[in-house]
């Protein structure tokens, strides 16, 4: 018999009904979980779900849903919407990785380069277009949009 | 030398699937996966490009060129006050209230060829567009429509068929009050005397003679404006329009009258 208030980091065998005190199981989840995978059926039957640490249960699901269960529609990957901006001409804008990390060791020129907004390559744009639905590709007429003039290409020679 | 054919429907032999591996066996990983390396779309840091996008107001642009085109083709009648309903009926603009559209904005494209005297009511207008319309002897007003009133304004018949009384148009939110009380934007809540001053100032700025609309024969039409709580010209809030019997029902209860006239 384990002590009543001792959480274990090793995941328990499914079907076990040991109960840990709720106070000891952490409530936070270390992952930026957008959607959680459903619990396996064997664990669902156990009422004492606090026996496993939530961090192991809640894993982010990064798949692209081509046909959703409820509506049969394609779903957007929210990770892409959080990080990128789609211009109406098809280009995607992004930040440079590391623009706010360890700035003390970076030179001024390097910091300036990292602060700039950058466009994505053709393959990257195609990938991001596949991960988002047509809602994110519509033309938007925001008030005082800083990117308003970039939605259209000018003097483009093919 | 001829290409060897696989025959059969779908191409035959390897059926365009390649040779062995995940490709042929249909076990390729999900889109964006890079074999375990942090994928590109996760390696980039988050930045609030799309933050609050569903709360940002949008205004469908209406160029003066398009407006001139509609008037020339006769789709929009310049002898009547031009409203968003008139523009929608003429299919001049398409407004989608559900996509956070708050109305129409006037854009300067076609300012040099514009020559029509109109009484127009939009939701936003740029300075040059206002100047062009006033130079031709017209009147511009900017007014606010909350999303529910905007939907009713764009599709009036569908609303009348619902059988609900026409609601009061709501007043603008805090950040827009300043815009609509400013005479330079010809806001509907601005002081009329200040609007007249602003017309003169704009005429001086752009260097044209401001035509006197009081001496115009269409002055009554040009000066027709809506009450801040009114959605349609000629219909007051609280009325029910019966499309089938072609009748209008007005409330008689004093509490209702008090509510709708406040």
């Amino acid at each position: 018999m384990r002590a009543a208030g001792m959480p274990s980091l090793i995941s328990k065998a499914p079907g076990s009904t040991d109960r840990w005190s709720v106070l000891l199981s952490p409530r936070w989840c270390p992952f930026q979980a957008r959607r959680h995978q459903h619990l396996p059926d064997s664990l669902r039957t156990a009422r004492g779900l606090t026996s496993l640490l939530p961090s192991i249960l809640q894993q982010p699901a990064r798949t692209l849903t081509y046909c959703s269960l409820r509506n049969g529609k394609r779903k957007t990957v929210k990770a892409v919407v959080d990080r990128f901006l789609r211009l109406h001409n098809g280009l995607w804008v992004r930040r440079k990785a590391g623009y706010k990390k360890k700035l003390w060791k970076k030179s001024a020129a390097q910091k300036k380069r990292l602060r700039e907004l950058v466009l994505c390559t053709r393959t990257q744009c195609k990938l991001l277009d596949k991960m988002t639905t047509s809602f994110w590709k519509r033309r938007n007429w925001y008030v005082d949009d800083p990117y308003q003039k970039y939605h259209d290409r000018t003097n483009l020679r093919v | 030398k001829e290409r060897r054919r696989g025959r059969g429907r779908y191409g035959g032999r390897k059926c365009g699937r390649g040779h062995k591996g995940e490709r042929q066996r249909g076990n390729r990983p999900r889109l964006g996966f890079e074999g375990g390396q942090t994928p590109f779309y996760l390696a980039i840091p988050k930045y609030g490009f799309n933050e609050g996008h569903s709360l940002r107001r949008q205004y469908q642009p209406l160029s003066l060129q398009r407006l001139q085109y509609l008037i020339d083709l006769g789709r929009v009648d310049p002898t009547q006050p031009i409203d968003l309903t008139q523009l929608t009926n003429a299919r001049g603009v398409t407004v989608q209230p559900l996509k956070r559209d708050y109305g129409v904005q006037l854009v300067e494209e076609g300012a040099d060829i514009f020559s029509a005297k109109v009484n127009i009511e939009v939701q936003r207008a740029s300075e040059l567009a206002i100047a062009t319309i006033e130079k031709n002897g017209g009147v511009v007003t900017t007014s606010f429509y909350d999303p529910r009133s905007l939907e009713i304004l764009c599709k009036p018949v569908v609303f009348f068929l619902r059988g609900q009384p026409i609601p009061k148009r709501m007043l603008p939110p805090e950040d827009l009050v300043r815009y609509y009380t400013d005479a330079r934007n010809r806001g509907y809540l601005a002081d009329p005397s200040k609007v007249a001053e602003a017309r003169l100032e704009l005429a001086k700025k752009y260097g044209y003679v401001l035509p006197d609309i009081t001496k115009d024969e269409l002055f009554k039409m040009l000066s027709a404006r809506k009450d801040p709580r009114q959605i349609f010209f000629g219909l007051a809030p609280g009325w029910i329009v019966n499309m089938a019997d072609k009748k209008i029902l007005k409330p008689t209860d004093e509490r209702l009258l008090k509510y709708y006239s406040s």
Side-chain angles (χ1 to χ4, degrees):
Chain A
M1 284 298 167
R2 255 179 250 250
M6 265 272 283
S8 152
L9 286 171
I10 306 162
S11 63
K12 313 280 292 306
S16 61
T17 50
D18 270 350
R19 294 209 189 164
W20 305 115
S21 68
V22 180
L23 293 166
L24 285 166
S25 58
R27 301 282 300 161
W28 53 266
C29 174
F31 296 109
Q32 288 286 337
R34 286 276 154 202
R35 286 174 45 226
H36 310 306
Q37 286 168 348
H38 293 299
L39 292 171
D41 288 313
S42 48
L43 284 174
R44 233 183 253 160
T45 50
R47 274 285 153 197
L49 291 170
T50 51
S51 54
L52 282 169
L53 288 177
S55 56
I56 299 171
L57 292 178
Q58 291 164 345
Q59 301 258 332
R62 298 286 184 195
T63 47
L64 169 64
T65 309
Y66 293 89
C67 184
S68 70
L69 287 172
R70 218 172 251 274
N71 291 313
K73 294 199 260 195
R74 204 178 165 99
K75 288 200 189 185
T76 322
V77 180
K78 288 297 191 288
V80 166
V81 165
D82 283 337
R83 292 164 168 84
F84 300 89
L85 170 73
R86 187 178 196 275
L87 300 173
H88 194 258
N89 52 36
L91 299 168
W92 288 78
V93 180
R94 65 174 177 90
R95 274 278 181 190
K96 283 230 143 215
Y99 79 104
K100 12 176 156 167
K101 302 286 284 176
K102 303 184 175 74
L103 296 175
W104 61 270
K105 52 162 110 168
K106 293 175 167 129
S107 72
Q110 193 178 11
K111 282 188 277 197
K112 181 195 167 283
R113 277 197 303 269
L114 288 174
R115 270 200 307 267
E116 288 166 352
L117 293 172
V118 175
L119 296 171
C120 297
T121 58
R122 185 193 290 261
T123 30
Q124 288 168 351
C125 288
K126 276 170 69 175
L127 172 72
L128 298 173
D129 278 337
K130 282 185 203 170
M131 289 174 131
T132 47
T133 47
S134 53
F135 170 79
W136 300 99
K137 297 165 184 122
R138 78 183 285 264
R139 166 78 69 170
N140 288 314
W141 296 101
Y142 298 124
V143 175
D144 302 327
D145 186 11
Y147 310 101
Q148 190 60 55
K149 55 183 168 173
Y150 302 106
H151 289 312
D152 289 300
R153 298 293 295 262
T154 51
N155 299 327
L156 178 65
R157 251 183 340 138
V158 178
Chain B
K1 217 180 154 186
E2 249 186 54
R3 189 162 174 76
R4 303 290 315 213
R5 297 174 53 238
R7 287 173 224 91
R9 196 169 159 224
Y10 309 114
R13 200 162 168 251
K14 296 211 187 72
C15 307
R17 294 297 301 245
H19 179 63
K20 284 183 177 177
E22 283 177 333
R23 290 164 194 248
Q24 192 176 27
R25 292 168 180 149
N27 288 328
R28 266 203 266 207
R30 62 178 185 267
L31 187 65
F33 187 68
E34 290 175 20
Q37 169 183 292
T38 311
F40 163 71
Y41 71 100
L42 291 181
I44 302 300
K46 288 194 190 181
Y47 183 71
F49 287 118
N50 294 316
E51 195 183 322
H53 71 281
S54 55
L55 300 167
R56 288 184 213 162
R57 286 180 271 263
Q58 296 191 35
Y59 293 92
Q60 187 73 10
L62 172 67
S63 61
L64 293 170
Q65 190 187 26
R66 177 121 179 108
L67 186 58
Q68 185 66 53
Y69 173 81
L70 294 169
I71 292 172
D72 289 339
L73 286 179
R75 279 154 73 164
V76 160
D77 192 9
T79 56
Q80 294 294 319
I82 296 183
D83 197 11
L84 187 53
T85 328
Q86 307 298 322
L87 290 166
T88 318
N89 291 346
R91 311 291 188 273
V93 281
T94 309
V95 181
Q96 296 167 300
L98 290 170
K99 293 282 184 289
R100 273 72 63 188
D101 272 350
Y102 271 66
V104 167
Q105 54 177 328
L106 276 179
V107 171
E108 295 96 8
E109 177 83 31
D112 37 352
I113 44 170
F114 190 76
S115 59
K117 188 165 65 174
V118 283
N119 174 4
I120 204 159
E121 198 208 38
V122 285
Q123 279 67 53
R124 273 181 88 90
S126 60
E127 214 185 23
L128 182 60
I130 300 175
T132 322
I133 295 186
E134 288 182 348
K135 180 180 173 182
N136 289 303
V139 172
V140 194
T141 325
T142 48
S143 55
F144 174 77
Y145 288 89
D146 53 293
R148 186 179 172 208
S149 320
L150 189 73
E151 203 217 337
I152 295 170
L153 189 70
C154 293
K155 295 185 174 156
V157 181
V158 174
F159 172 72
F160 294 146
L161 289 170
R162 273 182 227 164
Q164 290 164 8
I166 299 174
K168 299 194 281 190
R169 201 201 324 173
M170 292 291 126
L171 292 170
E174 276 181 51
D175 18 337
L176 286 177
V177 165
R178 185 172 281 259
Y179 182 85
Y180 288 111
T181 42
D182 199 353
R184 275 176 310 197
N185 304 324
R186 308 290 185 271
Y188 70 131
L189 299 170
D191 208 0
S193 52
K194 294 217 176 72
V195 171
E197 279 172 26
R199 281 167 64 94
L200 288 165
E201 270 177 42
L202 207 61
K204 260 190 271 179
K205 180 178 173 182
Y206 283 97
Y208 59 87
V209 176
L210 185 70
D212 199 2
I213 53 167
T214 46
K215 298 194 179 47
D216 206 337
E217 66 239 1
L218 290 168
F219 170 63
K220 203 162 164 240
M221 183 281 290
L222 287 176
S223 58
R225 279 161 146 232
K226 285 187 202 170
D227 186 62
R229 291 289 199 181
Q230 197 185 12
I231 299 183
F232 297 106
F233 273 119
L235 291 175
W239 294 2
I240 304 179
V241 175
N242 190 340
M243 296 294 291
D245 301 333
K246 304 242 187 325
K247 287 195 184 355
I248 297 181
L249 308 165
K250 302 181 192 181
T252 46
D253 190 24
E254 50 176 75
R255 285 177 307 173
L256 284 174
L257 286 169
K258 200 172 149 209
Y259 169 74
Y260 280 116
S261 60
S262 63

